[in-house]
Amino acid sequence: QVQLVESGGGLVQAGGSLRLSCAASGTIFSINAMGWYRQGPGKQRELVAAIYTGGSTNYADSVKGRFTISGDNAKNTVRLQMNSLKPEDTAVYYCNAVSKDRPWSAIREYWGQGTQVTVSS
């Protein structure tokens, strides 16, 4: 089992910045990917950004150029730096990890509890 603990988030004015952090702990053999999803009011959960083994990244079109994802493989952590925030970025942000807890284990997906990001206009 893997536990994901998120920190950061909060209330910020439009144009401001926030940083989200997520730390994975528990039984971890390898992490294939870590990332952030978000779910706004009345919307489906969507991928915001992800970082993969080897360092490649993927971003939603809506956040490209504004958000930056980074990871520390040694510490099993991932951060999301969010700049130039807009009211439409308001959502609950969830940390996600895809990992194996043993060499022979199946790949599993884990979620954090979510952290609220509110951007006021």
Side-chain angles (χ1 to χ4, degrees):
Q1 288 288 334
V2 174
Q3 295 79 43
L4 301 176
V5 178
E6 300 148 336
S7 60
L11 173 64
V12 66
Q13 289 187 335
S17 299
L18 285 174
R19 186 172 68 181
L20 304 181
S21 297
C22 175
S25 63
T27 306
I28 301 172
F29 169 72
S30 64
I31 294 180
N32 294 44
M34 291 188 75
W36 293 91
Y37 287 70
R38 67 186 180 188
Q39 187 165 16
K43 297 181 180 180
Q44 291 187 333
R45 190 174 297 188
E46 62 176 358
L47 173 69
V48 177
I51 186 166
Y52 305 94
T53 303
S56 61
T57 57
N58 184 33
Y59 293 93
D61 288 342
S62 59
V63 307
K64 284 180 180 177
R66 301 188 298 122
F67 291 11
T68 302
I69 190 168
S70 60
D72 186 330
N73 291 335
K75 297 181 179 180
N76 292 329
T77 58
V78 65
R79 291 181 177 178
L80 184 68
Q81 178 65 43
M82 304 185 292
N83 299 328
S84 302
L85 282 161
K86 304 175 181 180
E88 50 264 43
D89 294 318
T90 295
V92 177
Y93 284 69
Y94 297 91
C95 181
N96 172 273
V98 178
S99 69
K100 299 177 68 172
D101 54 5
R102 294 283 189 269
W104 54 85
S105 300
I107 294 174
R108 296 182 180 180
E109 188 173 37
Y110 298 92
W111 295 92
Q113 77 282 2
T115 185
Q116 178 70 45
V117 171
T118 302
V119 184
S120 63
S121 57

